[in-house]
Amino acid sequence: MNWKTIKNLIKEELESELGDNPAPAPQADTGNLPSINVGSNKFKLRLGVNKNETKLGIKVKFIAERPLDPKIKIKLEIAIMKKLQNGLASHDMIPSKDPDEPEDNTIGIWIPIEHIRELILDALNG
C-alpha cells in the first residue's frame, strides 16, 4: 500500500464521518489575548505549542491589528528578537524566528523545547 492510497482511505473515512458539512474554519478571534506595544505598533500575543519535529517547542505569535509593510515587519522582528534574547538570556533560552509564519500581520517566534527542559532542570537542581 502506497502513501497515496493511505491518504485516499483517510480522506474517504473523514468524508463519510463529516458528510457534506465542511469542518469549521479556525477561529481568528484575538479579542481575549493580551496586548503589547512595540514602537507605535500594537500586537496581540498568542502562545502555543509547536509540534513540528524540526521546531518542537513553544511558539509565540505577535499578531498586528493590520497587515504590516514588509520593511517595517523586518524592523519589528529585529526589535522583538533583541528584546526576547536579552530577556531570556539569563534563563539560557534563545528564541528563533519562525520562517514558516504565513500571515502578513504576524511575527512568529519559537523557543526550542530543549531550552524549556534545561530551565526546569536548573530550577529543580537549584
Side-chain angles (χ1 to χ4, degrees):
M1 186 176 287
N2 64 25
W3 181 241
K4 187 174 181 178
T5 304
I6 294 169
K7 285 177 28 179
N8 284 336
L9 287 171
I10 293 170
K11 183 178 176 186
E12 289 171 11
E13 184 66 27
L14 287 172
E15 286 174 348
S16 70
E17 290 291 322
L18 295 174
D20 291 333
N21 298 326
Q27 297 297 319
D29 179 23
T30 58
N32 294 328
L33 298 176
S35 296
I36 63 162
N37 292 315
V38 179
S40 62
N41 295 280
K42 187 173 183 177
F43 290 89
K44 296 287 186 170
L45 179 65
R46 175 175 284 153
L47 298 175
V49 177
N50 195 342
K51 297 177 184 175
N52 181 325
E53 286 296 322
T54 61
K55 297 185 300 184
L56 190 60
I58 304 298
K59 61 182 170 183
V60 183
K61 290 188 174 198
F62 297 87
I63 305 165
E65 294 177 330
R66 60 189 185 287
L68 298 168
D69 176 88
K71 290 179 182 178
I72 293 174
K73 183 176 180 180
I74 290 170
K75 290 180 180 182
L76 290 168
E77 285 173 349
I78 292 168
I80 289 170
M81 288 296 293
K82 282 182 179 179
K83 187 78 170 170
L84 281 174
Q85 286 172 348
N86 290 337
L88 295 173
S90 64
H91 302 290
D92 295 328
M93 288 196 257
I94 302 170
S96 298
K97 177 186 171 195
D98 185 353
D100 299 326
E101 177 55 56
E103 301 296 325
D104 291 338
N105 69 329
T106 303
I107 295 171
I109 308 289
W110 66 280
I111 301 168
I113 196 74
E114 293 87 10
H115 297 194
I116 307 297
R117 182 190 68 220
E118 291 302 315
L119 175 68
I120 292 167
L121 290 173
D122 288 347
L124 293 173
N125 294 326

